[in-house]
Amino acid sequence: DAKTTQPTSMDCAEGRAANLPCNHSTISGNEYVYWYRQIHSQGPQYIIHGLKNNETNEMASLIITEDRKSSTLILPHDKLRDTAVYYCIVRGTSRAAGNKLTFGGGTRVLVKP
Amino acid sequence: ETGVTQSPTHLIKTRGQQVTLRCSSQSGHNTVSWYQQALGQGPQFIFQYYREEENGRGNFPPRFSGLQFPNYSSELNVNALELDDSALYLCASSFNSYEQYFGPGTRLTVT
């Protein structure tokens, strides 16, 4: 699975949208980009995923560059309430890989009033 | 529709003991994955079960083993517990290879 690079931490203002970047320059053609968030001591929560087109759901939007080497998770203002760690994950789909999720360090988003 | 549940929530074991953790999949899901999350780190993949068979394993020793039952619930067994096994153990279920949904985790402390 391709590795991802994310900022270690970000400060975000409560009530404002946030853009979380992720680099995945070694991503291969059949690998998806997934985003999860984890509030302290809880299980990770699925947010969104995409292959090459931009995606939007009720939680967030995902913008993937045309060369697929980076992406940005856009969190709308009303979804940014809790301090959490946001993980960008590139997931393989081969049977040998077992469809595992390989978590890196993630970005700790500190929401400030 | 119920989500992924795990039991127990917390437990404390002594080094050398054995432990069994349990996970109930979300309704309609046939795949279960287990992860270990040490304090301050991201979750690490242990193994995955698909239709009662192991379908991929991470870099964990054989004393970590699992089962998946016909109702797709699952168990994680760890033998000969070591201090470094202290962690949050997460179970995630999915339908085939689609997105995984995580349970709240079991906090294991080994003393």
Side-chain angles (χ1 to χ4, degrees), chain A residues 44-89:
Chain A
Q45 178 187 21
Y46 166 79
I47 300 175
I48 198 168
H49 75 281
L51 184 62
K52 51 185 168 182
N53 297 322
N54 297 339
E55 302 287 344
T56 295
N57 63 18
E58 65 277 6
M59 293 187 67
S61 295
L62 175 60
I63 308 298
I64 303 174
T65 58
E66 191 169 344
D67 63 8
R68 302 209 323 123
K69 293 185 177 182
S70 66
S71 60
T72 300
L73 179 72
I74 301 173
L75 296 168
H77 66 91
D78 59 331
K79 299 299 183 188
L80 195 64
R81 291 187 294 272
D82 303 308
T83 291
V85 178
Y86 288 80
Y87 294 99
C88 170
I89 299 164

Short mmCIF file of all heavy atoms in Angstrom, two decimals, chain A residues 44-89:
data_model
loop_
_atom_site.label_atom_id
_atom_site.label_comp_id
_atom_site.label_asym_id
_atom_site.label_seq_id
_atom_site.Cartn_x
_atom_site.Cartn_y
_atom_site.Cartn_z
N PRO A 44 -12.13 4.60 15.11
CA PRO A 44 -12.13 5.49 13.94
C PRO A 44 -13.49 5.49 13.25
O PRO A 44 -14.17 4.48 13.20
CB PRO A 44 -11.05 4.87 13.04
CG PRO A 44 -10.16 4.13 13.97
CD PRO A 44 -11.07 3.59 15.03
N GLN A 45 -13.84 6.65 12.73
CA GLN A 45 -15.11 6.82 12.05
C GLN A 45 -14.86 7.08 10.58
O GLN A 45 -14.09 7.98 10.22
CB GLN A 45 -15.88 8.00 12.66
CG GLN A 45 -17.21 8.29 11.99
CD GLN A 45 -17.86 9.56 12.52
OE1 GLN A 45 -17.19 10.42 13.07
NE2 GLN A 45 -19.16 9.68 12.35
N TYR A 46 -15.48 6.30 9.72
CA TYR A 46 -15.35 6.49 8.27
C TYR A 46 -15.93 7.84 7.88
O TYR A 46 -17.01 8.24 8.34
CB TYR A 46 -16.07 5.37 7.54
CG TYR A 46 -16.30 5.63 6.06
CD1 TYR A 46 -15.27 5.44 5.15
CD2 TYR A 46 -17.53 6.07 5.59
CE1 TYR A 46 -15.47 5.67 3.80
CE2 TYR A 46 -17.74 6.31 4.25
CZ TYR A 46 -16.70 6.11 3.35
OH TYR A 46 -16.90 6.35 2.03
N ILE A 47 -15.20 8.57 7.02
CA ILE A 47 -15.70 9.85 6.54
C ILE A 47 -16.07 9.76 5.05
O ILE A 47 -17.21 9.99 4.68
CB ILE A 47 -14.65 10.98 6.73
CG1 ILE A 47 -14.30 11.13 8.20
CG2 ILE A 47 -15.19 12.30 6.17
CD1 ILE A 47 -13.18 12.13 8.45
N ILE A 48 -15.10 9.40 4.23
CA ILE A 48 -15.32 9.46 2.79
C ILE A 48 -14.20 8.72 2.09
O ILE A 48 -13.14 8.49 2.68
CB ILE A 48 -15.38 10.94 2.33
CG1 ILE A 48 -16.04 11.09 0.96
CG2 ILE A 48 -13.99 11.58 2.34
CD1 ILE A 48 -16.38 12.54 0.62
N HIS A 49 -14.41 8.32 0.86
CA HIS A 49 -13.33 7.76 0.07
C HIS A 49 -13.53 8.08 -1.40
O HIS A 49 -14.65 8.44 -1.82
CB HIS A 49 -13.19 6.25 0.28
CG HIS A 49 -14.25 5.42 -0.42
ND1 HIS A 49 -15.52 5.27 0.10
CD2 HIS A 49 -14.21 4.69 -1.56
CE1 HIS A 49 -16.22 4.48 -0.70
NE2 HIS A 49 -15.44 4.11 -1.71
N GLY A 50 -12.47 7.96 -2.20
CA GLY A 50 -12.55 8.22 -3.63
C GLY A 50 -11.43 7.56 -4.39
O GLY A 50 -10.41 7.19 -3.80
N LEU A 51 -11.60 7.43 -5.67
CA LEU A 51 -10.58 6.84 -6.54
C LEU A 51 -9.87 7.93 -7.35
O LEU A 51 -8.66 8.09 -7.27
CB LEU A 51 -11.20 5.82 -7.47
CG LEU A 51 -10.23 5.05 -8.37
CD1 LEU A 51 -9.24 4.23 -7.54
CD2 LEU A 51 -10.98 4.15 -9.33
N LYS A 52 -10.63 8.67 -8.14
CA LYS A 52 -10.02 9.77 -8.89
C LYS A 52 -10.94 10.96 -9.06
O LYS A 52 -10.48 12.06 -9.30
CB LYS A 52 -9.51 9.30 -10.24
CG LYS A 52 -10.51 8.54 -11.08
CD LYS A 52 -9.82 8.03 -12.35
CE LYS A 52 -10.67 7.02 -13.08
NZ LYS A 52 -9.96 6.49 -14.28
N ASN A 53 -12.23 10.75 -8.91
CA ASN A 53 -13.15 11.88 -9.00
C ASN A 53 -13.36 12.50 -7.63
O ASN A 53 -13.22 11.84 -6.60
CB ASN A 53 -14.50 11.39 -9.54
CG ASN A 53 -14.37 10.85 -10.96
OD1 ASN A 53 -13.64 11.39 -11.77
ND2 ASN A 53 -15.08 9.77 -11.22
N ASN A 54 -13.72 13.76 -7.61
CA ASN A 54 -14.05 14.41 -6.35
C ASN A 54 -15.33 13.80 -5.81
O ASN A 54 -16.22 13.40 -6.57
CB ASN A 54 -14.22 15.92 -6.58
CG ASN A 54 -12.93 16.56 -7.03
OD1 ASN A 54 -11.84 16.03 -6.83
ND2 ASN A 54 -13.05 17.71 -7.68
N GLU A 55 -15.40 13.70 -4.50
CA GLU A 55 -16.55 13.08 -3.86
C GLU A 55 -17.09 13.99 -2.77
O GLU A 55 -16.33 14.73 -2.14
CB GLU A 55 -16.17 11.73 -3.25
CG GLU A 55 -15.61 10.71 -4.20
CD GLU A 55 -16.65 10.12 -5.14
OE1 GLU A 55 -17.86 10.27 -4.86
OE2 GLU A 55 -16.25 9.48 -6.15
N THR A 56 -18.40 13.90 -2.54
CA THR A 56 -19.03 14.66 -1.46
C THR A 56 -20.09 13.79 -0.82
O THR A 56 -20.82 13.08 -1.51
CB THR A 56 -19.68 15.95 -2.00
OG1 THR A 56 -18.66 16.81 -2.51
CG2 THR A 56 -20.42 16.68 -0.91
N ASN A 57 -20.14 13.86 0.51
CA ASN A 57 -21.24 13.22 1.22
C ASN A 57 -21.68 14.15 2.35
O ASN A 57 -21.26 15.32 2.39
CB ASN A 57 -20.87 11.82 1.72
CG ASN A 57 -19.72 11.83 2.73
OD1 ASN A 57 -19.40 12.85 3.32
ND2 ASN A 57 -19.11 10.67 2.89
N GLU A 58 -22.49 13.64 3.25
CA GLU A 58 -23.05 14.50 4.30
C GLU A 58 -22.00 14.93 5.32
O GLU A 58 -22.24 15.83 6.10
CB GLU A 58 -24.21 13.79 5.01
CG GLU A 58 -23.81 12.55 5.79
CD GLU A 58 -23.69 11.30 4.93
OE1 GLU A 58 -23.80 11.41 3.69
OE2 GLU A 58 -23.47 10.22 5.50
N MET A 59 -20.85 14.28 5.31
CA MET A 59 -19.83 14.62 6.29
C MET A 59 -18.75 15.53 5.74
O MET A 59 -18.19 16.35 6.48
CB MET A 59 -19.17 13.34 6.81
CG MET A 59 -20.09 12.48 7.64
SD MET A 59 -19.22 11.11 8.39
CE MET A 59 -18.17 11.96 9.57
N ALA A 60 -18.37 15.36 4.47
CA ALA A 60 -17.22 16.10 3.97
C ALA A 60 -17.17 16.02 2.45
O ALA A 60 -17.98 15.33 1.83
CB ALA A 60 -15.93 15.49 4.55
N SER A 61 -16.18 16.74 1.91
CA SER A 61 -15.87 16.64 0.48
C SER A 61 -14.41 16.21 0.34
O SER A 61 -13.57 16.57 1.16
CB SER A 61 -16.07 17.99 -0.22
OG SER A 61 -17.44 18.35 -0.18
N LEU A 62 -14.15 15.46 -0.72
CA LEU A 62 -12.80 14.98 -0.99
C LEU A 62 -12.41 15.45 -2.38
O LEU A 62 -13.10 15.14 -3.36
CB LEU A 62 -12.76 13.46 -0.92
CG LEU A 62 -11.44 12.77 -1.30
CD1 LEU A 62 -10.31 13.24 -0.39
CD2 LEU A 62 -11.59 11.26 -1.22
N ILE A 63 -11.30 16.18 -2.42
CA ILE A 63 -10.77 16.66 -3.69
C ILE A 63 -9.48 15.91 -3.98
O ILE A 63 -8.53 15.97 -3.18
CB ILE A 63 -10.49 18.18 -3.64
CG1 ILE A 63 -11.71 18.94 -3.15
CG2 ILE A 63 -10.03 18.67 -5.02
CD1 ILE A 63 -12.93 18.81 -4.03
N ILE A 64 -9.42 15.20 -5.09
CA ILE A 64 -8.23 14.44 -5.48
C ILE A 64 -7.63 15.10 -6.71
O ILE A 64 -8.35 15.36 -7.68
CB ILE A 64 -8.57 12.97 -5.77
CG1 ILE A 64 -9.23 12.33 -4.54
CG2 ILE A 64 -7.32 12.18 -6.16
CD1 ILE A 64 -9.73 10.91 -4.78
N THR A 65 -6.33 15.38 -6.69
CA THR A 65 -5.70 16.03 -7.84
C THR A 65 -5.74 15.11 -9.04
O THR A 65 -5.87 13.88 -8.92
CB THR A 65 -4.25 16.41 -7.52
OG1 THR A 65 -3.54 15.22 -7.13
CG2 THR A 65 -4.19 17.43 -6.41
N GLU A 66 -5.58 15.70 -10.21
CA GLU A 66 -5.70 14.93 -11.46
C GLU A 66 -4.66 13.82 -11.54
O GLU A 66 -4.94 12.73 -12.04
CB GLU A 66 -5.57 15.88 -12.66
CG GLU A 66 -5.95 15.21 -13.98
CD GLU A 66 -6.06 16.22 -15.11
OE1 GLU A 66 -6.14 17.43 -14.82
OE2 GLU A 66 -6.05 15.78 -16.28
N ASP A 67 -3.44 14.09 -11.02
CA ASP A 67 -2.40 13.06 -11.05
C ASP A 67 -2.52 12.09 -9.87
O ASP A 67 -1.74 11.14 -9.76
CB ASP A 67 -1.00 13.68 -11.07
CG ASP A 67 -0.70 14.50 -9.82
OD1 ASP A 67 -1.50 14.48 -8.87
OD2 ASP A 67 0.34 15.17 -9.79
N ARG A 68 -3.49 12.32 -9.01
CA ARG A 68 -3.81 11.48 -7.85
C ARG A 68 -2.70 11.41 -6.82
O ARG A 68 -2.74 10.58 -5.92
CB ARG A 68 -4.19 10.07 -8.28
CG ARG A 68 -5.35 10.01 -9.23
CD ARG A 68 -6.20 8.75 -9.17
NE ARG A 68 -5.44 7.54 -8.93
CZ ARG A 68 -5.66 6.73 -7.92
NH1 ARG A 68 -6.61 6.97 -7.02
NH2 ARG A 68 -4.93 5.63 -7.78
N LYS A 69 -1.75 12.31 -6.87
CA LYS A 69 -0.65 12.26 -5.92
C LYS A 69 -0.95 13.00 -4.63
O LYS A 69 -0.17 12.93 -3.67
CB LYS A 69 0.62 12.83 -6.56
CG LYS A 69 1.14 11.94 -7.70
CD LYS A 69 2.45 12.45 -8.26
CE LYS A 69 2.96 11.49 -9.34
NZ LYS A 69 4.27 11.93 -9.89
N SER A 70 -2.05 13.69 -4.56
CA SER A 70 -2.43 14.35 -3.32
C SER A 70 -3.94 14.55 -3.29
O SER A 70 -4.62 14.43 -4.32
CB SER A 70 -1.72 15.70 -3.16
OG SER A 70 -2.15 16.59 -4.16
N SER A 71 -4.44 14.81 -2.10
CA SER A 71 -5.87 15.04 -1.94
C SER A 71 -6.10 16.01 -0.78
O SER A 71 -5.19 16.25 0.05
CB SER A 71 -6.62 13.73 -1.70
OG SER A 71 -6.17 13.07 -0.53
N THR A 72 -7.30 16.55 -0.72
CA THR A 72 -7.68 17.46 0.36
C THR A 72 -9.05 17.07 0.88
O THR A 72 -9.99 16.89 0.09
CB THR A 72 -7.72 18.92 -0.12
OG1 THR A 72 -6.43 19.30 -0.61
CG2 THR A 72 -8.12 19.86 1.00
N LEU A 73 -9.15 16.94 2.18
CA LEU A 73 -10.43 16.70 2.81
C LEU A 73 -10.98 18.04 3.26
O LEU A 73 -10.30 18.78 3.97
CB LEU A 73 -10.27 15.77 4.03
CG LEU A 73 -11.55 15.47 4.79
CD1 LEU A 73 -12.44 14.53 3.97
CD2 LEU A 73 -11.25 14.85 6.15
N ILE A 74 -12.18 18.35 2.82
CA ILE A 74 -12.80 19.61 3.19
C ILE A 74 -13.92 19.32 4.18
O ILE A 74 -14.88 18.60 3.84
CB ILE A 74 -13.36 20.35 1.97
CG1 ILE A 74 -12.22 20.63 0.98
CG2 ILE A 74 -14.04 21.65 2.38
CD1 ILE A 74 -12.68 21.21 -0.34
N LEU A 75 -13.76 19.85 5.38
CA LEU A 75 -14.76 19.65 6.43
C LEU A 75 -15.60 20.91 6.53
O LEU A 75 -15.08 21.99 6.83
CB LEU A 75 -14.07 19.37 7.77
CG LEU A 75 -13.26 18.09 7.84
CD1 LEU A 75 -12.41 18.07 9.11
CD2 LEU A 75 -14.19 16.87 7.82
N PRO A 76 -16.89 20.84 6.29
CA PRO A 76 -17.74 22.02 6.41
C PRO A 76 -17.80 22.52 7.85
O PRO A 76 -17.54 21.76 8.78
CB PRO A 76 -19.11 21.54 5.92
CG PRO A 76 -19.06 20.06 6.01
CD PRO A 76 -17.63 19.65 5.88
N HIS A 77 -18.15 23.76 8.01
CA HIS A 77 -18.04 24.40 9.33
C HIS A 77 -18.87 23.69 10.39
O HIS A 77 -18.48 23.61 11.56
CB HIS A 77 -18.47 25.86 9.23
CG HIS A 77 -19.93 26.03 8.89
ND1 HIS A 77 -20.91 26.13 9.84
CD2 HIS A 77 -20.56 26.10 7.69
CE1 HIS A 77 -22.08 26.27 9.25
NE2 HIS A 77 -21.90 26.25 7.95
N ASP A 78 -20.00 23.11 9.98
CA ASP A 78 -20.86 22.51 10.99
C ASP A 78 -20.42 21.09 11.37
O ASP A 78 -21.00 20.47 12.25
CB ASP A 78 -22.31 22.49 10.51
CG ASP A 78 -22.49 21.71 9.22
OD1 ASP A 78 -21.53 21.65 8.43
OD2 ASP A 78 -23.58 21.15 9.00
N LYS A 79 -19.39 20.59 10.70
CA LYS A 79 -18.88 19.26 11.04
C LYS A 79 -17.60 19.33 11.85
O LYS A 79 -17.04 18.31 12.23
CB LYS A 79 -18.61 18.45 9.76
CG LYS A 79 -19.84 18.24 8.91
CD LYS A 79 -20.92 17.44 9.65
CE LYS A 79 -22.11 17.18 8.75
NZ LYS A 79 -23.23 16.58 9.49
N LEU A 80 -17.13 20.52 12.10
CA LEU A 80 -15.86 20.69 12.80
C LEU A 80 -16.16 21.16 14.22
O LEU A 80 -16.20 22.35 14.50
CB LEU A 80 -14.98 21.70 12.05
CG LEU A 80 -13.52 21.73 12.44
CD1 LEU A 80 -12.87 20.40 12.10
CD2 LEU A 80 -12.81 22.84 11.71
N ARG A 81 -16.40 20.19 15.08
CA ARG A 81 -16.72 20.56 16.45
C ARG A 81 -15.74 19.97 17.46
O ARG A 81 -15.43 20.57 18.46
CB ARG A 81 -18.12 20.07 16.80
CG ARG A 81 -19.24 20.80 16.08
CD ARG A 81 -20.58 20.35 16.64
NE ARG A 81 -20.83 18.94 16.34
CZ ARG A 81 -21.42 18.51 15.22
NH1 ARG A 81 -21.77 19.37 14.30
NH2 ARG A 81 -21.62 17.22 15.01
N ASP A 82 -15.29 18.77 17.16
CA ASP A 82 -14.49 18.04 18.13
C ASP A 82 -13.03 17.94 17.70
O ASP A 82 -12.75 17.70 16.53
CB ASP A 82 -15.03 16.62 18.31
CG ASP A 82 -16.49 16.62 18.74
OD1 ASP A 82 -16.79 17.30 19.72
OD2 ASP A 82 -17.29 15.94 18.07
N THR A 83 -12.15 18.10 18.63
CA THR A 83 -10.75 17.80 18.37
C THR A 83 -10.63 16.30 18.06
O THR A 83 -11.21 15.46 18.76
CB THR A 83 -9.90 18.16 19.60
OG1 THR A 83 -9.89 19.58 19.74
CG2 THR A 83 -8.48 17.66 19.45
N ALA A 84 -9.92 15.98 16.99
CA ALA A 84 -9.81 14.58 16.56
C ALA A 84 -8.56 14.41 15.72
O ALA A 84 -7.96 15.39 15.27
CB ALA A 84 -11.04 14.18 15.75
N VAL A 85 -8.19 13.17 15.50
CA VAL A 85 -7.11 12.85 14.57
C VAL A 85 -7.75 12.38 13.27
O VAL A 85 -8.62 11.51 13.28
CB VAL A 85 -6.19 11.75 15.13
CG1 VAL A 85 -5.10 11.41 14.11
CG2 VAL A 85 -5.56 12.21 16.44
N TYR A 86 -7.32 12.99 12.17
CA TYR A 86 -7.85 12.64 10.86
C TYR A 86 -6.78 11.85 10.10
O TYR A 86 -5.66 12.31 9.93
CB TYR A 86 -8.23 13.90 10.09
CG TYR A 86 -9.48 14.55 10.63
CD1 TYR A 86 -9.44 15.35 11.77
CD2 TYR A 86 -10.71 14.33 10.02
CE1 TYR A 86 -10.59 15.93 12.29
CE2 TYR A 86 -11.88 14.90 10.53
CZ TYR A 86 -11.80 15.69 11.66
OH TYR A 86 -12.95 16.25 12.17
N TYR A 87 -7.18 10.68 9.67
CA TYR A 87 -6.27 9.79 8.96
C TYR A 87 -6.60 9.74 7.47
O TYR A 87 -7.75 9.50 7.09
CB TYR A 87 -6.36 8.37 9.51
CG TYR A 87 -5.90 8.19 10.93
CD1 TYR A 87 -6.81 8.14 11.98
CD2 TYR A 87 -4.55 8.06 11.22
CE1 TYR A 87 -6.38 7.96 13.28
CE2 TYR A 87 -4.11 7.87 12.54
CZ TYR A 87 -5.03 7.83 13.55
OH TYR A 87 -4.61 7.63 14.84
N CYS A 88 -5.59 9.94 6.68
CA CYS A 88 -5.67 9.75 5.23
C CYS A 88 -5.02 8.40 4.92
O CYS A 88 -3.88 8.16 5.32
CB CYS A 88 -4.93 10.88 4.53
SG CYS A 88 -4.70 10.66 2.75
N ILE A 89 -5.73 7.54 4.25
CA ILE A 89 -5.25 6.17 4.04
C ILE A 89 -5.41 5.80 2.57
O ILE A 89 -6.46 6.06 1.97
CB ILE A 89 -6.07 5.17 4.89
CG1 ILE A 89 -5.92 5.50 6.38
CG2 ILE A 89 -5.64 3.74 4.61
CD1 ILE A 89 -6.97 4.82 7.24
#
